[in-house]
Amino acid sequence: MTGKHKIIWAVAGLVLAGLIGLTAADQWVLRDSKILPGVHVANVDVGGLYPAEAATKLRQAADGLKVRSIAVAGAESLWQVRPQDIDFSIDANASIAAAYSAGRDENFVQRWQTLLMGQERPISRIPATVDFNREKLVRYLAGLAAQTDRDPVNASLRVSLKNNTVVRVPAVIGRKLNIEQTIAQAALKASSQELLPSIKLVFDQRPPQVTDEQFVGIDTVLASFSTYFKPWDADRNANLRLAASRINGKVLKPGEVFSYNNVVGHRTQKEGFLMAPVILDGKLVPDWGGGVCQVSSTLYNAVLLADLDIVDRSNHARAIGYVPLGFDATVVDGQIDFKFRNNLKRPILLQATVAEDELTFAVLGNAKDAPPPIELDYVVHKVIEPVEIKQPDPTLEAGKEVIDESPQRGFRVSTYRVRTIKGKQVSQLLYTDDYDPVNRIIKVGTKGLPPQAETTPKPTASANPPKPGTAVGKPKPTTAGTITLNETVTSPKR
């Protein structure tokens, strides 16, 4: 072995001996029962102390917390709760056990690099282990929830039909205190800076059903129409209000088709509708949802004035009094629907307002989609007079007469939408409808009389069923006139 090799082996031996010595020394340090220097439990320095000494020091610091309060931070406010109100305490033994382990998981190089270079160990802050009465804390947080929770507020529109103006009112996101997450997500874990912990409230967002985005581009009233009803007809009016509420706020995108039956839903007791008069086979009879046809008819007129396309519409079997002749739109659950299309370039919104005796529909949209001036007109082609029919009734006293049905005229009528475009009127034929007359029915008592052959006058034959059609640009006939409906018809009809 040369001299050079001897030197190499000697150096290697010294290095190995040094490593063995350092390792032994490191094990001696790790076996030391004192907490490593620089270790703190929160803001309490326990470095270099035996665990028992550190526990005593920590308990003394915890005793001073009894005169302080725990901060509770909300979204906009700050509260304080006394430690004793939730049985808050510091678990000194668990905290010191965590402090004793601090730094002992460092690798050999890191530990001795600090010692050999004469550097101070960096401060290692250990959060204190705390305990509390969960039931009391939950009760305290539940009390705060009454102050912090808030309901979401839907975005809305302030509409002036007089000025045709629309002002958007922004939505407000609601919130609800999540008590479980407030506790679970380190809510009571002492910070590494302060022995006394703080509680940060955790909230769940409650988004509004109507957001600001739904009203983007809605800035004007395209058209509106109102009808009136008898405020004392409670059940019918309840149906009217319910149907209107389900349409209110409905937004239609360009090209989208509105279906009255789909939006309003089934007219059943389960859906909240009541029994009220409807027209069935030309007669007024009680049924679920009576009155909803006034809603569809009012909406129909507003839609016509907004210059939207009608997809499906049918008239009643007999004339009704809350809209002009020919401008009604009947609906029957699951059978007859009222549909129209948003043929504009931008979305529209339907707003329904129900006052004491007035129902109003407004079609809201963008000013760039404003329709031309529009008038609605009708022409009566034929008037069908009712006849009087007497029917024997064995349940009435002989000779007694009771009016079972009041008379009402029948009509054939054509309706028009008249647009004024560049100073010229252009008429669009909407529909030609037939309304059957309602004959005067008189019940004549025959109780106690001997049986005899009885005959009754035949009623005037009813008009043909309605045949809707459309012809754009057809000139308005010059025979237009106004027909007054029979004044004896006073009951509102579906």
Side-chain angles (χ1 to χ4, degrees):
M1 179 180 296
T2 65
K4 184 177 180 180
H5 287 122
K6 290 180 179 180
I7 294 173
I8 293 174
W9 280 106
V11 171
L14 290 173
V15 170
L16 180 61
L19 290 174
I20 293 173
L22 287 175
T23 302
D26 185 61
Q27 293 300 312
W28 178 82
V29 169
L30 293 178
R31 285 196 299 270
D32 187 4
S33 57
K34 291 182 180 180
I35 298 172
L36 294 179
V39 177
H40 290 60
V41 176
N43 58 339
V44 179
D45 185 3
V46 293
L49 299 178
Y50 290 105
E53 296 173 337
T56 300
K57 184 176 182 180
L58 186 61
R59 290 191 183 95
Q60 291 173 346
D63 288 340
L65 301 179
K66 295 179 180 179
V67 296
R68 298 173 59 188
S69 295
I70 298 174
V72 182
E76 296 110 5
S77 303
L78 185 67
W79 294 267
Q80 291 184 334
V81 58
R82 297 184 305 171
Q84 56 267 37
D85 290 341
I86 57 173
D87 296 343
F88 172 82
S89 62
I90 301 291
D91 189 333
N93 292 334
S95 299
I96 295 305
Y100 183 80
S101 299
R104 297 178 185 275
D105 57 352
E106 293 178 352
N107 61 52
F108 174 88
V109 175
Q110 289 175 319
R111 196 157 35 246
W112 281 98
Q113 183 180 14
T114 301
L115 291 175
L116 293 176
M117 295 181 67
Q119 297 176 348
E120 292 186 3
R121 285 187 53 82
I123 295 176
S124 176
R125 294 188 183 274
I126 307 300
T129 302
V130 300
D131 194 14
F132 60 92
N133 186 312
R134 180 183 178 84
E135 183 179 345
K136 289 185 177 181
L137 180 57
V138 168
R139 189 160 54 244
Y140 172 77
L141 293 176
L144 281 187
Q147 304 176 47
T148 60
D149 289 359
R150 70 183 181 199
D151 294 330
V153 179
N154 289 333
S156 60
L157 299 173
R158 283 202 295 265
V159 179
S160 171
L161 298 181
K162 181 179 179 181
N163 301 319
N164 283 352
T165 58
V166 175
V167 177
R168 291 197 296 268
V169 180
V172 177
I173 297 175
R175 68 185 179 212
K176 182 176 179 61
L177 178 61
N178 190 321
I179 294 176
E180 292 301 320
Q181 286 192 19
T182 297
I183 298 174
Q185 294 182 8
L188 272 182
K189 185 178 181 181
S191 74
S192 59
Q193 301 298 322
E194 284 287 339
L195 188 61
L196 191 68
S198 61
I199 302 174
K200 184 177 181 180
L201 301 180
V202 179
F203 292 95
D204 293 330
Q205 286 193 347
R206 300 176 60 191
Q209 294 181 343
V210 182
T211 63
D212 298 343
E213 289 74 17
Q214 292 178 250
F215 296 147
V216 172
I218 306 294
D219 59 12
T220 192
V221 180
L222 300 178
S224 64
F225 191 83
S226 299
T227 60
Y228 296 87
F229 54 88
K230 296 179 178 179
W232 58 84
D233 197 344
D235 291 349
R236 182 181 185 276
N237 296 343
N239 294 333
L240 182 149
R241 292 176 184 274
L242 178 57
S245 70
R246 294 186 176 180
I247 300 172
N248 184 45
K250 176 67 177 177
V251 175
L252 294 181
K253 298 177 182 178
E256 187 176 354
V257 174
F258 173 92
S259 165
Y260 185 92
N261 284 344
N262 287 346
V263 174
V264 174
H266 294 297
R267 274 76 83 186
T268 61
Q269 184 180 20
K270 183 179 179 181
E271 291 294 321
F273 289 94
L274 305 176
M275 295 283 283
V278 302
I279 298 175
L280 183 62
D281 295 329
K283 292 188 176 182
L284 280 175
V285 296
D287 197 5
W288 297 109
V292 299
C293 282
Q294 182 165 350
V295 178
S296 57
S297 297
T298 307
L299 178 60
Y300 173 53
N301 282 265
V303 165
L304 287 175
L305 293 171
D307 209 15
L308 302 178
D309 290 343
I310 306 303
V311 176
D312 190 10
R313 171 262 173 192
S314 301
N315 64 294
H316 290 79
R318 56 198 271 184
I320 48 89
Y322 45 74
V323 291
L325 189 60
F327 286 98
D328 57 314
T330 188
V331 286
V332 178
D333 195 358
Q335 300 180 47
I336 301 176
D337 203 355
F338 167 53
K339 297 179 181 180
F340 64 90
R341 178 183 292 106
N342 176 15
N343 53 291
L344 305 178
K345 295 180 180 180
R346 283 159 279 268
I348 61 171
L349 182 143
L350 305 177
Q351 184 189 62
T353 306
V354 185
E356 182 181 1
D357 62 349
E358 181 182 14
L359 167 65
T360 300
F361 268 105
V363 180
L364 311 180
N366 191 274
K368 294 180 181 179
D369 291 325
I374 291 178
E375 296 179 3
L376 303 179
D377 204 354
Y378 68 92
V379 175
V380 175
H381 303 293
K382 184 165 117 178
V383 178
I384 306 171
E385 297 294 340
V387 298
E388 184 177 283
I389 299 176
K390 291 188 176 183
Q391 297 178 345
D393 188 340
T395 64
L396 295 176
E397 295 295 332
K400 185 176 181 179
E401 293 187 353
V402 176
I403 298 177
D404 186 55
E405 190 82 49
S406 297
Q408 183 176 326
R409 288 172 171 174
F411 304 95
R412 169 165 286 184
V413 60
S414 292
T415 52
Y416 296 85
R417 175 161 48 185
V418 185
R419 302 177 178 90
T420 300
I421 303 175
K422 295 181 179 180
K424 295 183 179 181
Q425 288 191 331
V426 180
S427 295
Q428 174 194 6
L429 173 63
L430 297 170
Y431 294 91
T432 296
D433 297 324
D434 291 310
Y435 296 90
D436 293 337
V438 179
N439 295 318
R440 180 183 176 89
I441 306 298
I442 301 177
K443 298 289 187 180
V444 180
T446 60
K447 187 176 182 179
L449 296 180
Q452 59 181 359
E454 299 173 350
T455 60
T456 58
K458 294 182 179 180
T460 301
S462 62
N464 295 326
K467 299 177 180 179
T470 303
V472 178
K474 180 178 178 180
K476 186 174 70 170
T478 58
T479 56
T482 302
I483 298 296
T484 302
L485 298 182
N486 194 312
E487 294 299 329
T488 61
V489 182
T490 57
S491 299
K493 302 157 184 87
R494 179 181 172 195

